PDB file of all heavy atoms in Angstrom:
ATOM      1  N   SER E 164      12.229  17.769  16.815  1.00  0.00           N
ATOM      2  CA  SER E 164      13.274  17.405  17.786  1.00  0.00           C
ATOM      3  C   SER E 164      14.677  17.479  17.193  1.00  0.00           C
ATOM      4  O   SER E 164      15.660  17.321  17.920  1.00  0.00           O
ATOM      5  CB  SER E 164      13.014  15.988  18.309  1.00  0.00           C
ATOM      6  OG  SER E 164      13.169  15.027  17.270  1.00  0.00           O
ATOM      7  N   VAL E 165      14.775  17.685  15.892  1.00  0.00           N
ATOM      8  CA  VAL E 165      16.102  17.783  15.253  1.00  0.00           C
ATOM      9  C   VAL E 165      16.692  19.167  15.540  1.00  0.00           C
ATOM     10  O   VAL E 165      16.067  20.183  15.218  1.00  0.00           O
ATOM     11  CB  VAL E 165      15.994  17.562  13.728  1.00  0.00           C
ATOM     12  CG1 VAL E 165      17.360  17.735  13.061  1.00  0.00           C
ATOM     13  CG2 VAL E 165      15.438  16.164  13.439  1.00  0.00           C
ATOM     14  N   PRO E 166      17.872  19.262  16.132  1.00  0.00           N
ATOM     15  CA  PRO E 166      18.448  20.578  16.493  1.00  0.00           C
ATOM     16  C   PRO E 166      18.701  21.454  15.272  1.00  0.00           C
ATOM     17  O   PRO E 166      19.289  21.007  14.283  1.00  0.00           O
ATOM     18  CB  PRO E 166      19.771  20.204  17.180  1.00  0.00           C
ATOM     19  CG  PRO E 166      19.611  18.772  17.589  1.00  0.00           C
ATOM     20  CD  PRO E 166      18.715  18.145  16.573  1.00  0.00           C
ATOM     21  N   MET E 167      18.273  22.689  15.365  1.00  0.00           N
ATOM     22  CA  MET E 167      18.505  23.657  14.287  1.00  0.00           C
ATOM     23  C   MET E 167      19.990  23.958  14.114  1.00  0.00           C
ATOM     24  O   MET E 167      20.451  24.312  13.025  1.00  0.00           O
ATOM     25  CB  MET E 167      17.753  24.956  14.590  1.00  0.00           C
ATOM     26  CG  MET E 167      16.291  24.953  14.184  1.00  0.00           C
ATOM     27  SD  MET E 167      16.078  25.075  12.403  1.00  0.00           S
ATOM     28  CE  MET E 167      16.756  26.712  12.109  1.00  0.00           C
ATOM     29  N   GLU E 168      20.769  23.819  15.212  1.00  0.00           N
ATOM     30  CA  GLU E 168      22.191  24.157  15.154  1.00  0.00           C
ATOM     31  C   GLU E 168      22.936  23.312  14.131  1.00  0.00           C
ATOM     32  O   GLU E 168      23.889  23.790  13.483  1.00  0.00           O
ATOM     33  CB  GLU E 168      22.833  23.968  16.538  1.00  0.00           C
ATOM     34  CG  GLU E 168      22.392  24.978  17.584  1.00  0.00           C
ATOM     35  CD  GLU E 168      21.010  24.677  18.150  1.00  0.00           C
ATOM     36  OE1 GLU E 168      20.470  23.600  17.841  1.00  0.00           O
ATOM     37  OE2 GLU E 168      20.478  25.528  18.898  1.00  0.00           O
ATOM     38  N   LEU E 169      22.507  22.045  13.965  1.00  0.00           N
ATOM     39  CA  LEU E 169      23.163  21.169  12.988  1.00  0.00           C
ATOM     40  C   LEU E 169      22.962  21.694  11.573  1.00  0.00           C
ATOM     41  O   LEU E 169      23.882  21.692  10.752  1.00  0.00           O
ATOM     42  CB  LEU E 169      22.616  19.744  13.114  1.00  0.00           C
ATOM     43  CG  LEU E 169      22.891  19.015  14.428  1.00  0.00           C
ATOM     44  CD1 LEU E 169      22.191  17.667  14.433  1.00  0.00           C
ATOM     45  CD2 LEU E 169      24.389  18.831  14.616  1.00  0.00           C
ATOM     46  N   GLU E 170      21.752  22.147  11.288  1.00  0.00           N
ATOM     47  CA  GLU E 170      21.452  22.663   9.954  1.00  0.00           C
ATOM     48  C   GLU E 170      22.164  23.988   9.722  1.00  0.00           C
ATOM     49  O   GLU E 170      22.652  24.264   8.618  1.00  0.00           O
ATOM     50  CB  GLU E 170      19.945  22.819   9.791  1.00  0.00           C
ATOM     51  CG  GLU E 170      19.191  21.502   9.939  1.00  0.00           C
ATOM     52  CD  GLU E 170      17.686  21.683   9.910  1.00  0.00           C
ATOM     53  OE1 GLU E 170      17.206  22.585   9.208  1.00  0.00           O
ATOM     54  OE2 GLU E 170      16.984  20.905  10.594  1.00  0.00           O
ATOM     55  N   GLU E 171      22.221  24.831  10.740  1.00  0.00           N
ATOM     56  CA  GLU E 171      22.919  26.112  10.596  1.00  0.00           C
ATOM     57  C   GLU E 171      24.408  25.895  10.359  1.00  0.00           C
ATOM     58  O   GLU E 171      25.032  26.598   9.544  1.00  0.00           O
ATOM     59  CB  GLU E 171      22.698  26.958  11.846  1.00  0.00           C
ATOM     60  CG  GLU E 171      21.254  27.438  12.006  1.00  0.00           C
ATOM     61  CD  GLU E 171      20.984  28.070  13.357  1.00  0.00           C
ATOM     62  OE1 GLU E 171      21.913  28.058  14.197  1.00  0.00           O
ATOM     63  OE2 GLU E 171      19.866  28.576  13.571  1.00  0.00           O
ATOM     64  N   ALA E 172      24.988  24.920  11.051  1.00  0.00           N
ATOM     65  CA  ALA E 172      26.405  24.616  10.849  1.00  0.00           C
ATOM     66  C   ALA E 172      26.654  24.107   9.433  1.00  0.00           C
ATOM     67  O   ALA E 172      27.675  24.440   8.805  1.00  0.00           O
ATOM     68  CB  ALA E 172      26.861  23.580  11.870  1.00  0.00           C
ATOM     69  N   ALA E 173      25.716  23.304   8.914  1.00  0.00           N
ATOM     70  CA  ALA E 173      25.856  22.802   7.549  1.00  0.00           C
ATOM     71  C   ALA E 173      25.792  23.930   6.535  1.00  0.00           C
ATOM     72  O   ALA E 173      26.548  23.941   5.551  1.00  0.00           O
ATOM     73  CB  ALA E 173      24.745  21.772   7.278  1.00  0.00           C
ATOM     74  N   ARG E 174      24.909  24.893   6.767  1.00  0.00           N
ATOM     75  CA  ARG E 174      24.814  26.029   5.838  1.00  0.00           C
ATOM     76  C   ARG E 174      26.077  26.890   5.886  1.00  0.00           C
ATOM     77  O   ARG E 174      26.534  27.409   4.866  1.00  0.00           O
ATOM     78  CB  ARG E 174      23.579  26.867   6.183  1.00  0.00           C
ATOM     79  CG  ARG E 174      22.260  26.158   5.915  1.00  0.00           C
ATOM     80  CD  ARG E 174      21.086  27.135   5.970  1.00  0.00           C
ATOM     81  NE  ARG E 174      19.812  26.425   5.872  1.00  0.00           N
ATOM     82  CZ  ARG E 174      19.058  26.072   6.903  1.00  0.00           C
ATOM     83  NH1 ARG E 174      19.469  26.372   8.129  1.00  0.00           N
ATOM     84  NH2 ARG E 174      17.926  25.437   6.724  1.00  0.00           N
ATOM     85  N   ILE E 175      26.640  27.041   7.078  1.00  0.00           N
ATOM     86  CA  ILE E 175      27.890  27.812   7.210  1.00  0.00           C
ATOM     87  C   ILE E 175      29.014  27.131   6.435  1.00  0.00           C
ATOM     88  O   ILE E 175      29.871  27.796   5.829  1.00  0.00           O
ATOM     89  CB  ILE E 175      28.272  27.976   8.696  1.00  0.00           C
ATOM     90  CG1 ILE E 175      27.252  28.880   9.406  1.00  0.00           C
ATOM     91  CG2 ILE E 175      29.680  28.535   8.851  1.00  0.00           C
ATOM     92  CD1 ILE E 175      27.432  28.955  10.899  1.00  0.00           C
ATOM     93  N   ASP E 176      28.986  25.792   6.420  1.00  0.00           N
ATOM     94  CA  ASP E 176      30.009  25.025   5.691  1.00  0.00           C
ATOM     95  C   ASP E 176      29.757  25.012   4.181  1.00  0.00           C
ATOM     96  O   ASP E 176      30.530  24.401   3.433  1.00  0.00           O
ATOM     97  CB  ASP E 176      30.057  23.585   6.204  1.00  0.00           C
ATOM     98  CG  ASP E 176      30.651  23.504   7.604  1.00  0.00           C
ATOM     99  OD1 ASP E 176      31.367  24.452   7.985  1.00  0.00           O
ATOM    100  OD2 ASP E 176      30.389  22.506   8.302  1.00  0.00           O
TER     101      ASP E 176
END
Side-chain angles (χ1 to χ4, degrees):
S164 66
V165 177
M167 277 286 295
E168 290 77 8
L169 295 175
E170 299 174 33
E171 292 170 356
R174 292 193 187 97
I175 292 172
D176 289 339

